[in-house]
Amino acid sequence: MTLHRKIYIGLAGFLLFLLIICNYLSSPFINSESIKKIIQAAVSQKVGVQVDYHSIDLSIFPFIHARVDQVTVSLPGKIEGRVETLDLFPEILPLFAGKVRISKIDLGSPDIDFTLPRNQEKRKITKESLLLDKIKEIVVNVLYPLFAELPEIQITIEDGTGNITEGDKIVFDFKDMEAEISSLSKELEINMKGSSGICDTISVKANLDRRDFKGNLVIQLSLFQPQFLIDRFLPDAPCRISQPIDKVSLHVKTDGPNELKAEVEVSPFKLKVKKGDGESFLKGKKVKASLYTGEVETKVTFHELNLEHPHINMKGDLIVDHETKQIRLKLTGRDIDIHSVREEALAFAGDNEEVRKIFQVVNGGWVSDMVLTSQGKTLSDFGNMENLVIQGNFREGNIFIPGPDL
């Protein structure tokens, strides 16, 4: 063995011995109250979030990293949460220059609540019409601030839970979340899966430009619960949907945080819709729609609304004007089976005299083409007969006009 080789081995062994000693001696020092206050002040000044923790342990095996236990974070009115374990992995080379650059963060069992800003005056004017803008609000107020200033880093999350809330209302909840987030120089990659009260499983894959938040997201939901959305956003709605939809897919394109476009596809479904003592059965073959939300309006376009029972084929637009708070609906239909529609409508209508009068006259037949329009300040205004206009052409109609010998 050469002299140089012996010197290198000796120095390496001595350096390893020093690292072990430093690691052993560092724990009492770094967990002292004075050091904890310095760390808390530095983090608060850097990211504007109040941070507390129970202890920090430094390790050099198998990798140099720091484990922080029982971390709590707080930004009143925006973020509140707790992380059981937080592992920080620094880049090695900058350490020799006295700099600490974190390259990877592992979060174990985080429980984080995000709060959306609440505009009370806006909500009083049009509570229901803003339902369509929830995705946009979550992107603008949660995802964009969270990721826009993120440095180049790799983040993994295990067994995550949390809520997105607005006032005292939970907009979205998640649990059992596993995620990998890669923040590169220009691109943000997100791959996560978990579960929620709104569905059995949810998966999200995203590629976004960190500079302007333009990019694409693919969201897959299984056993989607429509009633969960109704309970959260339309708690006074008289209808209840008792069965889930097997699969819902959303392909979202963002042109910045304030403009979203989404394509929605729904698998074949069977739903029971209840209203009081009435119950209606819906069997869907295919639903395909797109959602656009921008500064001026939110628009939902139904490209295909194909029901097997009752037999309905429709398409059209639902538009929310952000300035006037007016909602407009226009649907066109073809090959509509009046008998199956009448059967479900009467079962669902309950004591609605207007519906019963219509189907007392119209007993059967087919509508070859139809146009339905309605408008109002809220979704419930669509059912008001003063706002509803239906025009169509019958064929093979079965019309009954009450009166003697008619």
Side-chain angles (χ1 to χ4, degrees), residues 12-222:
F14 180 68
L15 179 60
L16 179 60
F17 174 76
L18 286 179
L19 287 173
I20 294 173
I21 295 298
C22 290
N23 180 65
Y24 175 77
L25 296 176
S26 66
S27 182
F29 172 73
I30 201 167
N31 285 303
S32 65
E33 285 299 318
S34 59
I35 295 300
K36 180 181 287 190
K37 289 180 180 179
I38 293 174
I39 294 175
Q40 289 172 333
V43 172
S44 179
Q45 183 179 12
K46 183 72 174 179
V47 298
V49 176
Q50 298 175 12
V51 175
D52 195 8
Y53 59 90
H54 179 265
S55 63
I56 298 179
D57 291 319
L58 300 180
S59 298
I60 58 174
F61 299 109
F63 306 103
I64 296 177
H65 73 283
R67 165 161 288 191
V68 190
D69 291 318
Q70 299 180 27
V71 181
T72 59
V73 295
S74 176
L75 183 59
K78 293 185 177 181
I79 300 174
E80 299 286 341
R82 176 185 175 90
V83 182
E84 284 297 319
T85 59
L86 178 65
D87 290 320
L88 306 173
F89 296 84
E91 296 180 14
I92 301 301
L93 291 180
L95 292 177
F96 292 97
K99 298 179 181 180
V100 178
R101 294 179 184 172
I102 304 300
S103 62
K104 183 181 179 182
I105 298 177
D106 290 347
L107 289 85
S109 301
D111 185 358
I112 310 293
D113 290 342
F114 301 93
T115 301
L116 296 175
R118 186 177 179 89
N119 187 325
Q120 295 289 347
E121 187 64 27
K122 196 175 184 182
R123 289 283 180 249
K124 289 178 183 177
I125 294 174
T126 174
K127 171 186 171 184
E128 292 174 341
S129 65
L130 292 177
L131 166 62
L132 301 174
D133 296 328
K134 286 300 175 186
I135 296 177
K136 176 181 173 181
E137 289 187 14
I138 291 173
V139 170
V140 172
N141 296 299
V142 177
L143 298 182
Y144 182 67
L146 189 63
F147 295 126
E149 300 300 326
L150 201 64
E152 293 186 35
I153 200 168
Q154 178 81 23
I155 301 174
T156 62
I157 299 173
E158 294 184 2
D159 193 28
T161 61
N163 300 295
I164 297 175
T165 64
E166 184 179 44
D168 57 354
K169 182 190 299 182
I170 297 177
V171 176
F172 181 77
D173 71 293
F174 53 90
K175 56 187 177 180
D176 305 323
M177 186 176 72
E178 309 286 331
E180 293 184 0
I181 302 170
S182 299
S183 177
L184 308 176
S185 60
K186 297 181 180 180
E187 189 177 27
L188 182 66
E189 296 179 357
I190 303 173
N191 192 341
M192 64 176 63
K193 60 181 180 180
S195 60
S196 172
I198 199 174
C199 60
D200 186 59
T201 62
I202 178 172
S203 68
V204 179
K205 293 184 178 181
N207 291 88
L208 301 168
D209 191 309
R210 295 181 60 231
R211 297 164 297 182
D212 52 20
F213 224 60
K214 293 182 179 181
N216 298 280
L217 296 89
V218 178
I219 304 172
Q220 303 277 353
L221 311 176
S222 69

Side-chain angles (χ1 to χ4, degrees), residues 360-387:
Q360 185 180 7
V361 175
V362 182
N363 287 312
W366 290 80
V367 176
S368 56
D369 57 86
M370 182 198 75
V371 178
L372 181 151
T373 60
S374 188
Q375 61 182 353
K377 291 288 186 179
T378 66
L379 297 178
S380 58
D381 289 343
F382 287 175
N384 190 327
M385 299 303 291
E386 296 180 357
N387 299 327

